[in-house]
Amino acid sequence: MKKHISFALLALMMAGSVSAEVKLPAMVGDRMVLQRDTDLKIWGEADPGECVTVKFRGDVFDTAADKDGHWSVIMPPQSPGGPFVMEVNGRKLRDVLVGDVWLCSGQSNQETPISRLTDMFPEIEVSNNHMIRHYKVPTQRSTAGEMGNIAPGQGWYSATASDVMNWTALAYFFANEAYDRYKVPVGMLVSSLGGSAIESWISQEHLREFPDLLVDRAALDSLESARRDQGEGRWNVADLDDSSWPVMNMPGTWHENGLDVRGTVWMRKDFTVPQSMVGRHAVLYMGTLVDADEVFVNGVCVGRTAYQYPPRKYEVPAGVLREGKNVVAVRLTANNGRGEFVKDKPYYLAGAHGEKIDLTGAWRYKVGKDNDAERRLMDRVGNLDRAGSQLYNGMIYPLRDYKVKGAIWYQGETNAGNPAPYASYMSALVDNWRELWQMPSMPFLLVQLPNFMEKRDRPTDSGWARIREAQLKASRDIPGTALAVTYDSGVWNDIHPLDKKTVARRLFLGARALAYGEKNVAYTGPLYESMRVDGNRIILTFSHVGAGLTTADGKPLRHFAIAGEDGRFVWADAVIKGKNTVVVSSPDVKVPVAVRYAWSDNPEDANLRSRDGLLASPFRTDTDAAGSMRKVEITTSAQ
């Protein structure tokens, strides 16, 4: 009876093992936040043909894995709320919320750990908000192409005191702003990496106008093959049809036989064994080979030597030889191209009873690995270290099916050494991500670089100023974007300023207008529109002034510079006139042609703002095309 029970249990266990566990993407799990008010895709992997059932909020969705093991279901738009339980083939995902999900990306200031901010913001230590969640995507690069999944090892965390130290700082303060205003769950999906450049977050397709950033995919695919010995495990076997291979006469050199190659060449020769040698031990004399060899008889490895000098004498075990046709195969590697069977050396098979089979003469050959071909392909993919798209492939593309409300981008420090293409990169990134998520109007919230490095005594040019200009240009040229101006929130000696709360508050003003549709929300500070020269003065006109222009501290305007035709900027006097104009002049410039405002690495004392409390973005009225300005002196420090 016990035996019958054991067999029954075994049968049940075997039946249960037939269906593999359904696999879910790493970010689909306990405590996740799903985007409200849009169709939702839940997806994963299973055995081909396996049935998958997803249950959520009383609804049931059935599907089956396709021939490649992929499955998905589409759930209709969900109203906000939770926590809920989702079941996938009986596996329960608990504490699921429905609300708004924000994709956060960029470099180190996007991923500043919240643990660094507890002295400045002690309320973090007693955070108690279970309705906002955070997921940090693990670092994963890919040059070869787009990855199907993000790397494992992370999970969703709430903002309770026991979880909050797993958060990044900007995401925490933004989520609190959003939840406090709308009382809807918020998920912050953070995919960022310190020190990363913007081009690494853009797909190859959207970098086509930047050839230096593109990977030669055909060469990369071929390189993988070129690095392998094509004959390894294949061209040593006894029954290989090598009749189409060319022939060379040995002993001799590759070069003498018309073969100029560096790498590995497979060489094969048939020989006939008499009955007297079958089943018996034999000795193979292969003279001296240049350089390294591996020798097979009838597919059996009988010896190998790693360098050119020793004489080759290999024992052939009893049982390897057979009556009639046999084959010896030599895998000969000469990375310098001087492959050779050295002349006047012995090349024969000796039997136990004095038999001797000559192995000189015609040998068939085929190149297994061509080092020159590999080198040529390496030249074609020599830009792999600086090519774009690596983080997009590994950390953005795999998120494409996870619905989001919008994106928050905080990056630019690494690109300050080459600011010229940044606005174009930014446009490409926005187009790319909107296309990937199939959201043509996907809101993008951008953080302009804060103040950093020492202040200068005189007006200077800088990479940081030009990145801010590019960020402003992107926000003005690309619909559905908002720029948070932050040159008062940094510190001169820390590239990672801690006041992420101010940055989050300004970003959220843009979110209220672009993502949540609030009317009459002032989220953009004064923007330079035009200038005119009036004698020895320049009169500037601004838009987005709200109730009018003012200064942040009630003191005279600061950090305006003016230049004449010589392009030499000096500090200027600036005065607000009326609601939307500023008059700029200097006794040292009699015929002014250009003005710059907050144009430096660290313009923290710049104080033009609107009466709504929003800072004016840094700007310049001169352009490189004018040809009258001095060459840019770029200083940068990026992490």
Side-chain angles (χ1 to χ4, degrees), residues 48-49 152 211 220 333:
L220 188 62
T333 299

Side-chain angles (χ1 to χ4, degrees), residues 306-430:
Y307 56 107
Q308 71 181 46
Y309 299 106
R312 271 59 166 179
K313 179 182 177 183
Y314 298 137
E315 306 292 328
V316 181
V320 171
L321 298 176
R322 58 198 181 196
E323 187 176 4
K325 179 183 174 183
N326 291 251
V327 64
V328 57
V330 177
R331 179 191 190 188
L332 187 60
T333 299
N335 291 322
N336 59 12
R338 295 192 292 271
E340 181 179 4
F341 284 27
V342 177
K343 295 178 181 179
D344 295 328
K345 297 291 184 179
Y347 297 91
Y348 64 86
L349 182 68
H353 297 294
E355 301 94 339
K356 185 176 180 180
I357 301 174
D358 182 28
L359 295 176
T360 62
W363 285 69
R364 296 191 180 277
Y365 72 91
K366 189 171 184 178
V367 177
K369 184 175 184 294
D370 183 344
N371 292 351
D372 290 330
E374 179 183 358
R375 179 187 54 77
R376 289 190 294 271
L377 291 168
M378 281 295 298
D379 290 342
R380 288 172 57 185
V381 295
N383 67 336
L384 287 183
D385 289 342
R386 63 183 185 277
S389 312
Q390 295 180 42
L391 297 176
Y392 169 85
N393 290 339
M395 298 173 68
I396 294 298
Y397 182 81
L399 303 175
R400 65 196 181 281
D401 289 324
Y402 203 91
K403 296 294 186 178
V404 299
K405 183 78 169 177
I408 300 173
W409 178 255
Y410 191 168
Q411 192 277 342
E413 300 91 333
T414 292
N415 291 86
N418 181 29
Y422 193 86
S424 296
Y425 289 158
M426 193 72 249
S427 179
L429 184 144
V430 173

Side-chain angles (χ1 to χ4, degrees), residues 109 112 117 410 413 450-451 489-491 494-500:
N109 272 304
T112 300
L117 278 64
Y410 191 168
E413 300 91 333
N451 50 305
S489 67
V491 289
D494 191 350
I495 199 171
H496 305 126
L498 300 182
D499 187 9
K500 296 297 190 283

